[in-house]
Amino acid sequence: MNIGIILAAGQGQRFGSNLPKQFSLLNDKMIIDYSIETFESIKNINKIIIVTPQEWVDKISKLYPKHLVIKGGATRQESSFSALKKCPKNTKNVLIHDSARPFISKSIINKCLLSLKNNSAVIVSKKSTDTIIRVKNGKIIKIEKREELFLNQTPQAFEYKIILNAHIKKTAIATDDFSLLKINDIKCKIIEGPNYNIKITTEQDLKIAKALLHNL
Ligand code: CTP
Ligand code: MG
């Protein structure tokens, strides 16, 4: 079984509206609908689990009666762990995706599934095109080497048992799932993430998404 997990339990603090950003409209649909529909169109995804805030569980279940809708936790990590615990016993692989990335394509998901045949983890990541500096307390402490820096997107795909165990051990507090793994112990493949696979984080990103929608 391959399970798709759509994370949508955040409150969108940086977005700054009362309505969590994943339920905002992007044209005629909610942001979350885009990822759900793309995952639904992949025939090798056998089940979809959607994680939402408690108060959205009923509404999203009614909209998507075929999928399992569960409540998330206070952090992304907790929400992801909640979904992993609800996966069926015979789950082989999981793909974990941020609902805040509506432009995820079928081709990326299929590449992840294919790469899982020879890897325990597959991440979608993009080379940094900006120079990144490290700043602490307003002071620049390091200029990073741009060619060594990549920006992680989602989905991230894993052998189920490996990522479930990493969540159980919880050796880190992380903003993605891959960061919970011991990188040297795992065979991981990096798939190049396209620029358009943006995460809607601020209101400005929603404007960029609206512009992108007409040009993809
Ligand atoms: N997420 C989640 N549960 C949480 C926090 C985040 O399922 N407790 C999900 C979000 O809904 C989002 C994805 O994880 O789709 C990436 O998180 P992020 O972009 O940080 O969203 P928010 O946490 O909602 O935003 P912010 O950090 O600005 O509050
Ligand atoms: Mg967050």
Side-chain angles (χ1 to χ4, degrees):
M1 280 263 239
N2 296 321
I3 311 291
I5 295 172
I6 314 264
L7 296 177
Q11 293 298 331
Q13 281 175 3
R14 288 168 289 178
F15 192 80
S17 88
N18 285 334
L19 179 74
K21 60 189 180 184
Q22 58 275 25
F23 307 116
S24 300
L25 288 181
L26 176 54
N27 256 19
D28 54 341
K29 290 191 285 194
M30 293 187 291
I31 289 172
I32 186 179
D33 294 326
Y34 291 83
S35 309
I36 297 173
E37 286 171 15
T38 306
F39 270 81
E40 281 174 342
S41 71
I42 308 283
K43 72 170 191 324
N44 287 330
I45 297 283
N46 309 104
K47 185 183 171 76
I48 295 176
I49 302 179
I50 306 168
V51 192
T52 73
Q54 163 87 69
E55 58 277 22
W56 282 82
V57 170
D58 281 352
K59 188 166 183 211
I60 301 297
S61 304
K62 283 191 185 110
L63 285 174
Y64 293 104
K66 280 197 299 187
H67 307 320
L68 176 64
V69 184
I70 61 166
K71 77 170 161 74
T75 62
R76 184 191 183 284
Q77 190 167 342
E78 285 173 32
S79 296
S80 185
F81 190 27
S82 305
L84 289 167
K85 286 187 284 192
K86 295 279 184 198
C87 288
K89 286 233 158 56
N90 59 344
T91 300
K92 187 164 187 304
N93 299 310
V94 289
L95 274 81
I96 306 173
H97 182 62
D98 294 334
S99 63
R101 295 184 191 272
F103 300 123
I104 176 61
S105 65
K106 284 172 76 166
S107 119
I108 295 174
I109 298 174
N110 280 323
K111 276 186 198 163
C112 286
L113 283 168
L114 198 66
S115 299
L116 272 180
K117 292 187 194 299
N118 297 307
N119 298 275
S120 302
V122 184
I123 60 171
V124 178
S125 200
K126 146 180 143 59
K127 282 182 184 157
S128 176
T129 50
D130 294 330
T131 298
I132 296 187
I133 57 171
R134 187 174 292 274
V135 179
K136 223 174 185 172
N137 302 324
K139 196 166 168 265
I140 300 169
I141 54 172
K142 199 174 174 209
I143 319 277
E144 299 289 350
K145 283 188 188 146
R146 189 180 64 194
E147 63 276 17
E148 291 179 356
L149 294 174
F150 284 66
L151 309 173
N152 281 357
Q153 304 178 344
T154 68
Q156 293 186 333
F158 307 95
E159 234 176 84
Y160 175 57
K161 280 188 188 131
I162 286 180
I163 195 65
L164 178 67
N165 282 331
H167 272 270
I168 291 168
K169 285 198 185 121
K170 202 183 172 186
T171 50
I173 303 290
T175 50
D176 72 355
D177 296 276
F178 179 72
S179 307
L180 296 172
L181 300 177
K182 283 210 175 93
I183 47 178
N184 295 326
D185 296 352
I186 298 282
K187 195 172 171 218
C188 177
K189 161 104 178 154
I190 303 176
I191 288 175
E192 195 176 332
N195 284 350
Y196 62 77
N197 187 20
I198 61 165
K199 180 159 70 74
I200 298 177
T201 305
T202 64
E203 239 190 309
Q204 219 181 93
D205 296 326
L206 184 59
K207 289 190 183 138
I208 295 171
K210 282 180 180 163
L212 266 177
L213 197 61
H214 302 296
N215 291 292
L216 281 179

